[in-house]
PDB file of all heavy atoms in Angstrom:
ATOM      1  N   ILE A1318      -6.101  54.091 -11.685  1.00  0.00           N
ATOM      2  CA  ILE A1318      -5.978  52.865 -12.469  1.00  0.00           C
ATOM      3  C   ILE A1318      -4.902  51.988 -11.854  1.00  0.00           C
ATOM      4  O   ILE A1318      -3.982  52.473 -11.192  1.00  0.00           O
ATOM      5  CB  ILE A1318      -5.646  53.126 -13.955  1.00  0.00           C
ATOM      6  CG1 ILE A1318      -4.299  53.819 -14.113  1.00  0.00           C
ATOM      7  CG2 ILE A1318      -6.753  53.944 -14.605  1.00  0.00           C
ATOM      8  CD1 ILE A1318      -3.823  53.932 -15.552  1.00  0.00           C
ATOM      9  N   TYR A1319      -5.060  50.690 -12.062  1.00  0.00           N
ATOM     10  CA  TYR A1319      -4.050  49.747 -11.591  1.00  0.00           C
ATOM     11  C   TYR A1319      -3.162  49.387 -12.775  1.00  0.00           C
ATOM     12  O   TYR A1319      -3.647  48.952 -13.825  1.00  0.00           O
ATOM     13  CB  TYR A1319      -4.690  48.477 -11.020  1.00  0.00           C
ATOM     14  CG  TYR A1319      -3.649  47.584 -10.403  1.00  0.00           C
ATOM     15  CD1 TYR A1319      -3.248  47.803  -9.094  1.00  0.00           C
ATOM     16  CD2 TYR A1319      -3.032  46.583 -11.136  1.00  0.00           C
ATOM     17  CE1 TYR A1319      -2.264  47.019  -8.520  1.00  0.00           C
ATOM     18  CE2 TYR A1319      -2.046  45.798 -10.574  1.00  0.00           C
ATOM     19  CZ  TYR A1319      -1.661  46.020  -9.262  1.00  0.00           C
ATOM     20  OH  TYR A1319      -0.676  45.264  -8.696  1.00  0.00           O
ATOM     21  N   LEU A1320      -1.859  49.592 -12.615  1.00  0.00           N
ATOM     22  CA  LEU A1320      -0.894  49.250 -13.656  1.00  0.00           C
ATOM     23  C   LEU A1320       0.090  48.226 -13.121  1.00  0.00           C
ATOM     24  O   LEU A1320       0.561  48.337 -11.979  1.00  0.00           O
ATOM     25  CB  LEU A1320      -0.141  50.496 -14.125  1.00  0.00           C
ATOM     26  CG  LEU A1320      -0.977  51.572 -14.816  1.00  0.00           C
ATOM     27  CD1 LEU A1320      -0.128  52.811 -15.070  1.00  0.00           C
ATOM     28  CD2 LEU A1320      -1.559  51.037 -16.114  1.00  0.00           C
ATOM     29  N   ALA A1321       0.399  47.256 -13.944  1.00  0.00           N
ATOM     30  CA  ALA A1321       1.392  46.244 -13.583  1.00  0.00           C
ATOM     31  C   ALA A1321       2.782  46.862 -13.613  1.00  0.00           C
ATOM     32  O   ALA A1321       3.020  47.869 -14.284  1.00  0.00           O
ATOM     33  CB  ALA A1321       1.312  45.071 -14.560  1.00  0.00           C
ATOM     34  N   ALA A1322       3.697  46.242 -12.909  1.00  0.00           N
ATOM     35  CA  ALA A1322       5.088  46.690 -12.917  1.00  0.00           C
ATOM     36  C   ALA A1322       5.659  46.535 -14.322  1.00  0.00           C
ATOM     37  O   ALA A1322       5.308  45.610 -15.051  1.00  0.00           O
ATOM     38  CB  ALA A1322       5.907  45.878 -11.910  1.00  0.00           C
ATOM     39  N   ASP A1323       6.515  47.465 -14.694  1.00  0.00           N
ATOM     40  CA  ASP A1323       7.183  47.407 -15.986  1.00  0.00           C
ATOM     41  C   ASP A1323       8.621  47.881 -15.787  1.00  0.00           C
ATOM     42  O   ASP A1323       8.889  49.076 -15.725  1.00  0.00           O
ATOM     43  CB  ASP A1323       6.449  48.293 -16.998  1.00  0.00           C
ATOM     44  CG  ASP A1323       6.975  48.146 -18.410  1.00  0.00           C
ATOM     45  OD1 ASP A1323       8.186  47.840 -18.583  1.00  0.00           O
ATOM     46  OD2 ASP A1323       6.187  48.360 -19.347  1.00  0.00           O
ATOM     47  N   ARG A1328       8.560  51.412 -13.969  1.00  0.00           N
ATOM     48  CA  ARG A1328       7.297  51.623 -13.249  1.00  0.00           C
ATOM     49  C   ARG A1328       7.065  50.493 -12.254  1.00  0.00           C
ATOM     50  O   ARG A1328       7.161  49.325 -12.593  1.00  0.00           O
ATOM     51  CB  ARG A1328       6.129  51.680 -14.233  1.00  0.00           C
ATOM     52  CG  ARG A1328       4.794  51.901 -13.531  1.00  0.00           C
ATOM     53  CD  ARG A1328       3.632  51.989 -14.498  1.00  0.00           C
ATOM     54  NE  ARG A1328       3.408  50.702 -15.145  1.00  0.00           N
ATOM     55  CZ  ARG A1328       2.983  50.560 -16.401  1.00  0.00           C
ATOM     56  NH1 ARG A1328       2.759  51.612 -17.148  1.00  0.00           N
ATOM     57  NH2 ARG A1328       2.794  49.376 -16.914  1.00  0.00           N
ATOM     58  N   ASP A1329       6.729  50.872 -11.024  1.00  0.00           N
ATOM     59  CA  ASP A1329       6.303  49.901 -10.024  1.00  0.00           C
ATOM     60  C   ASP A1329       4.840  49.576 -10.271  1.00  0.00           C
ATOM     61  O   ASP A1329       4.073  50.438 -10.695  1.00  0.00           O
ATOM     62  CB  ASP A1329       6.443  50.467  -8.602  1.00  0.00           C
ATOM     63  CG  ASP A1329       7.898  50.690  -8.208  1.00  0.00           C
ATOM     64  OD1 ASP A1329       8.766  49.950  -8.703  1.00  0.00           O
ATOM     65  OD2 ASP A1329       8.144  51.604  -7.404  1.00  0.00           O
ATOM     66  N   GLY A1330       4.446  48.357  -9.973  1.00  0.00           N
ATOM     67  CA  GLY A1330       3.038  47.991 -10.081  1.00  0.00           C
ATOM     68  C   GLY A1330       2.239  48.600  -8.943  1.00  0.00           C
ATOM     69  O   GLY A1330       2.746  48.740  -7.837  1.00  0.00           O
ATOM     70  N   GLY A1331       1.005  48.997  -9.234  1.00  0.00           N
ATOM     71  CA  GLY A1331       0.149  49.545  -8.189  1.00  0.00           C
ATOM     72  C   GLY A1331      -0.866  50.518  -8.741  1.00  0.00           C
ATOM     73  O   GLY A1331      -1.064  50.636  -9.948  1.00  0.00           O
ATOM     74  N   TRP A1332      -1.517  51.226  -7.822  1.00  0.00           N
ATOM     75  CA  TRP A1332      -2.548  52.189  -8.179  1.00  0.00           C
ATOM     76  C   TRP A1332      -1.920  53.543  -8.469  1.00  0.00           C
ATOM     77  O   TRP A1332      -0.998  53.975  -7.770  1.00  0.00           O
ATOM     78  CB  TRP A1332      -3.554  52.330  -7.039  1.00  0.00           C
ATOM     79  CG  TRP A1332      -4.416  51.126  -6.896  1.00  0.00           C
ATOM     80  CD1 TRP A1332      -4.276  50.121  -5.973  1.00  0.00           C
ATOM     81  CD2 TRP A1332      -5.537  50.788  -7.705  1.00  0.00           C
ATOM     82  NE1 TRP A1332      -5.254  49.184  -6.174  1.00  0.00           N
ATOM     83  CE2 TRP A1332      -6.044  49.566  -7.233  1.00  0.00           C
ATOM     84  CE3 TRP A1332      -6.169  51.389  -8.791  1.00  0.00           C
ATOM     85  CZ2 TRP A1332      -7.146  48.936  -7.785  1.00  0.00           C
ATOM     86  CZ3 TRP A1332      -7.270  50.768  -9.348  1.00  0.00           C
ATOM     87  CH2 TRP A1332      -7.756  49.556  -8.849  1.00  0.00           C
ATOM     88  N   TYR A1333      -2.488  54.222  -9.490  1.00  0.00           N
ATOM     89  CA  TYR A1333      -2.024  55.554  -9.869  1.00  0.00           C
ATOM     90  C   TYR A1333      -3.236  56.465 -10.021  1.00  0.00           C
ATOM     91  O   TYR A1333      -4.256  56.072 -10.574  1.00  0.00           O
ATOM     92  CB  TYR A1333      -1.218  55.503 -11.177  1.00  0.00           C
ATOM     93  CG  TYR A1333       0.091  54.789 -10.991  1.00  0.00           C
ATOM     94  CD1 TYR A1333       0.200  53.418 -11.195  1.00  0.00           C
ATOM     95  CD2 TYR A1333       1.221  55.495 -10.572  1.00  0.00           C
ATOM     96  CE1 TYR A1333       1.405  52.764 -10.999  1.00  0.00           C
ATOM     97  CE2 TYR A1333       2.428  54.840 -10.374  1.00  0.00           C
ATOM     98  CZ  TYR A1333       2.512  53.476 -10.590  1.00  0.00           C
ATOM     99  OH  TYR A1333       3.694  52.832 -10.388  1.00  0.00           O
ATOM    100  N   PHE A1346      -5.387  57.646 -19.895  1.00  0.00           N
ATOM    101  CA  PHE A1346      -5.215  58.047 -18.504  1.00  0.00           C
ATOM    102  C   PHE A1346      -4.111  59.085 -18.462  1.00  0.00           C
ATOM    103  O   PHE A1346      -3.016  58.864 -18.980  1.00  0.00           O
ATOM    104  CB  PHE A1346      -4.841  56.825 -17.660  1.00  0.00           C
ATOM    105  CG  PHE A1346      -4.510  57.147 -16.240  1.00  0.00           C
ATOM    106  CD1 PHE A1346      -5.519  57.389 -15.316  1.00  0.00           C
ATOM    107  CD2 PHE A1346      -3.204  57.187 -15.805  1.00  0.00           C
ATOM    108  CE1 PHE A1346      -5.220  57.681 -13.995  1.00  0.00           C
ATOM    109  CE2 PHE A1346      -2.895  57.468 -14.482  1.00  0.00           C
ATOM    110  CZ  PHE A1346      -3.898  57.723 -13.584  1.00  0.00           C
ATOM    111  N   TRP A1350       1.716  58.200 -15.183  1.00  0.00           N
ATOM    112  CA  TRP A1350       1.927  57.369 -16.371  1.00  0.00           C
ATOM    113  C   TRP A1350       0.765  57.600 -17.316  1.00  0.00           C
ATOM    114  O   TRP A1350      -0.387  57.515 -16.924  1.00  0.00           O
ATOM    115  CB  TRP A1350       2.015  55.889 -15.993  1.00  0.00           C
ATOM    116  CG  TRP A1350       3.131  55.635 -15.055  1.00  0.00           C
ATOM    117  CD1 TRP A1350       3.047  55.505 -13.698  1.00  0.00           C
ATOM    118  CD2 TRP A1350       4.518  55.534 -15.371  1.00  0.00           C
ATOM    119  NE1 TRP A1350       4.275  55.323 -13.163  1.00  0.00           N
ATOM    120  CE2 TRP A1350       5.213  55.330 -14.164  1.00  0.00           C
ATOM    121  CE3 TRP A1350       5.240  55.591 -16.558  1.00  0.00           C
ATOM    122  CZ2 TRP A1350       6.598  55.179 -14.114  1.00  0.00           C
ATOM    123  CZ3 TRP A1350       6.614  55.439 -16.500  1.00  0.00           C
ATOM    124  CH2 TRP A1350       7.278  55.242 -15.296  1.00  0.00           C
ATOM    125  N   LYS A1351       1.070  57.907 -18.547  1.00  0.00           N
ATOM    126  CA  LYS A1351       0.029  58.096 -19.559  1.00  0.00           C
ATOM    127  C   LYS A1351      -0.120  56.793 -20.322  1.00  0.00           C
ATOM    128  O   LYS A1351       0.851  56.274 -20.863  1.00  0.00           O
ATOM    129  CB  LYS A1351       0.388  59.251 -20.482  1.00  0.00           C
ATOM    130  CG  LYS A1351       0.343  60.578 -19.752  1.00  0.00           C
ATOM    131  CD  LYS A1351       0.988  61.685 -20.555  1.00  0.00           C
ATOM    132  CE  LYS A1351       1.097  62.951 -19.763  1.00  0.00           C
ATOM    133  NZ  LYS A1351       1.914  62.870 -18.577  1.00  0.00           N
ATOM    134  N   THR A1352      -1.337  56.265 -20.331  1.00  0.00           N
ATOM    135  CA  THR A1352      -1.591  55.001 -21.005  1.00  0.00           C
ATOM    136  C   THR A1352      -3.014  54.996 -21.555  1.00  0.00           C
ATOM    137  O   THR A1352      -3.905  55.611 -20.977  1.00  0.00           O
ATOM    138  CB  THR A1352      -1.366  53.807 -20.046  1.00  0.00           C
ATOM    139  OG1 THR A1352      -1.492  52.598 -20.744  1.00  0.00           O
ATOM    140  CG2 THR A1352      -2.327  53.828 -18.881  1.00  0.00           C
ATOM    141  N   LEU A1353      -3.196  54.329 -22.682  1.00  0.00           N
ATOM    142  CA  LEU A1353      -4.534  54.226 -23.261  1.00  0.00           C
ATOM    143  C   LEU A1353      -5.423  53.387 -22.357  1.00  0.00           C
ATOM    144  O   LEU A1353      -4.968  52.416 -21.752  1.00  0.00           O
ATOM    145  CB  LEU A1353      -4.473  53.597 -24.649  1.00  0.00           C
ATOM    146  CG  LEU A1353      -3.891  54.480 -25.754  1.00  0.00           C
ATOM    147  CD1 LEU A1353      -3.773  53.693 -27.057  1.00  0.00           C
ATOM    148  CD2 LEU A1353      -4.737  55.722 -25.969  1.00  0.00           C
ATOM    149  N   TYR A1355      -8.478  50.712 -21.736  1.00  0.00           N
ATOM    150  CA  TYR A1355      -8.925  49.533 -22.489  1.00  0.00           C
ATOM    151  C   TYR A1355      -9.999  48.782 -21.708  1.00  0.00           C
ATOM    152  O   TYR A1355     -10.105  48.918 -20.480  1.00  0.00           O
ATOM    153  CB  TYR A1355      -7.752  48.612 -22.830  1.00  0.00           C
ATOM    154  CG  TYR A1355      -6.995  48.096 -21.624  1.00  0.00           C
ATOM    155  CD1 TYR A1355      -7.406  46.939 -20.954  1.00  0.00           C
ATOM    156  CD2 TYR A1355      -5.875  48.768 -21.152  1.00  0.00           C
ATOM    157  CE1 TYR A1355      -6.713  46.473 -19.855  1.00  0.00           C
ATOM    158  CE2 TYR A1355      -5.176  48.301 -20.048  1.00  0.00           C
ATOM    159  CZ  TYR A1355      -5.602  47.152 -19.402  1.00  0.00           C
ATOM    160  OH  TYR A1355      -4.914  46.700 -18.303  1.00  0.00           O
ATOM    161  N   MET A1358      -9.857  47.110 -17.949  1.00  0.00           N
ATOM    162  CA  MET A1358      -8.839  47.755 -17.112  1.00  0.00           C
ATOM    163  C   MET A1358      -9.392  47.934 -15.700  1.00  0.00           C
ATOM    164  O   MET A1358     -10.535  48.355 -15.510  1.00  0.00           O
ATOM    165  CB  MET A1358      -8.438  49.095 -17.714  1.00  0.00           C
ATOM    166  CG  MET A1358      -7.370  49.830 -16.946  1.00  0.00           C
ATOM    167  SD  MET A1358      -6.960  51.400 -17.779  1.00  0.00           S
ATOM    168  CE  MET A1358      -5.255  51.085 -18.173  1.00  0.00           C
ATOM    169  N   LYS A1359      -8.576  47.603 -14.718  1.00  0.00           N
ATOM    170  CA  LYS A1359      -8.954  47.726 -13.312  1.00  0.00           C
ATOM    171  C   LYS A1359      -8.848  49.192 -12.901  1.00  0.00           C
ATOM    172  O   LYS A1359      -7.794  49.813 -13.054  1.00  0.00           O
ATOM    173  CB  LYS A1359      -8.008  46.861 -12.489  1.00  0.00           C
ATOM    174  CG  LYS A1359      -8.431  46.581 -11.094  1.00  0.00           C
ATOM    175  CD  LYS A1359      -7.445  45.562 -10.506  1.00  0.00           C
ATOM    176  CE  LYS A1359      -7.664  45.340  -9.058  1.00  0.00           C
ATOM    177  NZ  LYS A1359      -6.693  44.384  -8.509  1.00  0.00           N
TER     178      LYS A1359
END
Side-chain angles (χ1 to χ4, degrees):
I1318 62 172
Y1319 186 85
L1320 295 173
D1323 188 331
R1328 180 179 67 214
D1329 293 330
W1332 289 101
Y1333 292 91
F1346 174 79
W1350 300 99
K1351 292 167 187 62
T1352 186
L1353 288 175
Y1355 59 87
M1358 181 179 243
K1359 195 173 173 181

